[in-house]
């Protein structure tokens, strides 16, 4: 008689399912970006302890880079928090999707909320079987949480020891890291067009507004785009349907 548990994943790589392999790969690739965040957070004026607290509690790469970018530019904490919050709103949408898909219970729901990010959501949504969706979500989410914070500490410690980030090119690392997080999402023409438009608006607003506000203006442009484009698409579809 065959043991029903023989097909369950174990610590042996040979038993890992596709969702586990995908989650571990994404966790490794994404976690390494924490080095840039840690170094730049310290360069922006945060202590190592403050950097770690921000990474552990906020835990969403785009929002974290936005926060320290505003601080480094001389913006007030409220503007930095506003910019970070705008970029983090998407996680609330992901949370609703993951709650419906995975249906976590008890303390698992709180833990799932903490590790619901772009990568864990994408890994889960990329699977068809429920067991694989759960494995992908937890492996990616927890893996990134551990590695991101580990490498954040490494980056913060090294950045504090290295001194002026401009000597080592770390002042440009935030832009490179943020683009690295953003680039895989720009696979269709509409997101690319919106990214270009928001970039132009931000560039025009930078000389005119205090630090932290240009990104809020760009967010308003994105919100207007999201409101206007679906209406336009619906109107076009209605016009085509009414045509003889």
């Amino acid at each position: 008689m065959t043991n029903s548990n023989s097909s369950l994943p174990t610590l042996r790589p040979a038993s890992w399912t596709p969702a586990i392999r995908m989650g571990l790969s994404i966790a490794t690739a994404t976690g390494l970006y924490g080095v840039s965040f840690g170094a730049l957070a310290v360069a922006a004026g945060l202590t190592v302890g403050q950097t770690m607290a921000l990474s552990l509690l906020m835990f969403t790469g785009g929002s974290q880079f936005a926060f320290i970018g505003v601080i480094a530019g001389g913006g007030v904490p409220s503007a930095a928090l506003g910019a970070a919050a705008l970029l983090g709103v998407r996680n609330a949408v992901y949370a609703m999707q993951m709650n419906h898909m995975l249906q976590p219970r008890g303390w698992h729901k709180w833990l799932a909320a903490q590790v619901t990010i772009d990568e864990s959501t994408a890994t889960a949504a990329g699977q068809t079987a429920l067991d694989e969706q759960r494995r992908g979500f937890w492996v990616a989410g927890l893996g990134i949480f551990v590695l991101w914070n580990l490498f954040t500490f490494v980056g913060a410690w090294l950045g504090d020891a290295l001194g002026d980030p401009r000597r080592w090119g770390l002042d440009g690392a935030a832009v490179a890291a943020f683009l690295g997080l953003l680039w895989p999402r720009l696979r269709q023409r509409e997101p690319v067009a919106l990214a270009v438009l928001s970039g132009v608006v931000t560039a025009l607003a930078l000389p005119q507004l205090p630090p932290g506000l240009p990104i809020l203006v760009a967010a308003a442009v994105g919100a207007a785009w999201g409101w206007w484009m679906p209406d336009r698409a619906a109107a076009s579809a209605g016009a085509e349907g009414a045509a003889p």
Side-chain angles (χ1 to χ4, degrees):
M1 182 175 180
T2 303
N3 186 353
S4 61
N5 291 328
S6 60
S7 62
L8 294 176
T10 67
L11 293 178
R12 293 181 294 105
S15 70
W16 292 350
T17 67
I20 293 175
R21 295 178 185 277
M22 180 184 296
L24 289 174
S25 298
I26 291 174
T28 302
T30 305
L32 289 171
Y33 282 117
V35 172
S36 294
F37 172 74
L40 284 150
V42 170
L46 275 65
T47 66
V48 175
Q50 289 171 334
T51 299
M52 291 307 303
L54 184 64
S55 191
L56 286 163
L57 298 175
M58 185 175 287
F59 186 56
T60 170
S63 295
Q64 291 177 229
F65 278 115
F67 184 94
I68 63 168
V70 173
I71 295 296
V76 297
S78 58
L81 186 60
L86 279 173
L87 289 175
V89 166
R90 69 191 189 283
N91 289 347
V93 179
Y94 297 157
M96 291 186 288
Q97 180 184 0
M98 291 298 97
N99 187 58
H100 177 74
M101 178 186 294
L102 307 177
Q103 298 182 354
R105 294 289 184 268
W107 62 270
H108 288 89
K109 179 172 290 191
W110 295 94
L111 183 58
Q114 177 66 4
V115 298
T116 297
I117 54 175
D118 295 339
E119 291 78 9
S120 60
T121 300
T123 305
Q127 315 305 318
T128 54
L130 179 59
D131 285 346
E132 283 288 84
Q133 290 171 345
R134 287 173 175 159
R135 290 179 189 130
F137 175 83
W138 288 113
V139 171
L142 293 175
I144 293 172
F145 184 82
V146 171
L147 292 178
W148 177 270
N149 284 285
L150 172 63
F151 284 106
T152 291
F153 176 76
V154 171
W157 181 75
L158 288 176
D160 197 33
L162 291 174
D164 188 354
R166 289 172 295 184
R167 292 176 54 197
W168 312 97
L170 293 177
D171 52 329
V175 176
F178 189 77
L179 286 176
L181 293 172
L182 176 67
W183 188 257
R185 295 158 178 78
L186 301 180
R187 295 182 178 180
Q188 298 178 350
R189 276 187 269 182
E190 183 175 335
V192 172
L194 177 56
V196 171
L197 176 61
S198 297
V200 171
V201 169
T202 302
L204 293 174
L206 279 172
Q208 311 295 330
L209 299 175
L213 292 185
I215 193 172
L216 300 181
V217 174
V221 170
W225 180 293
W227 174 79
W228 180 68
M229 289 302 291
D231 286 348
R232 184 183 179 190
S236 299
E240 291 175 1

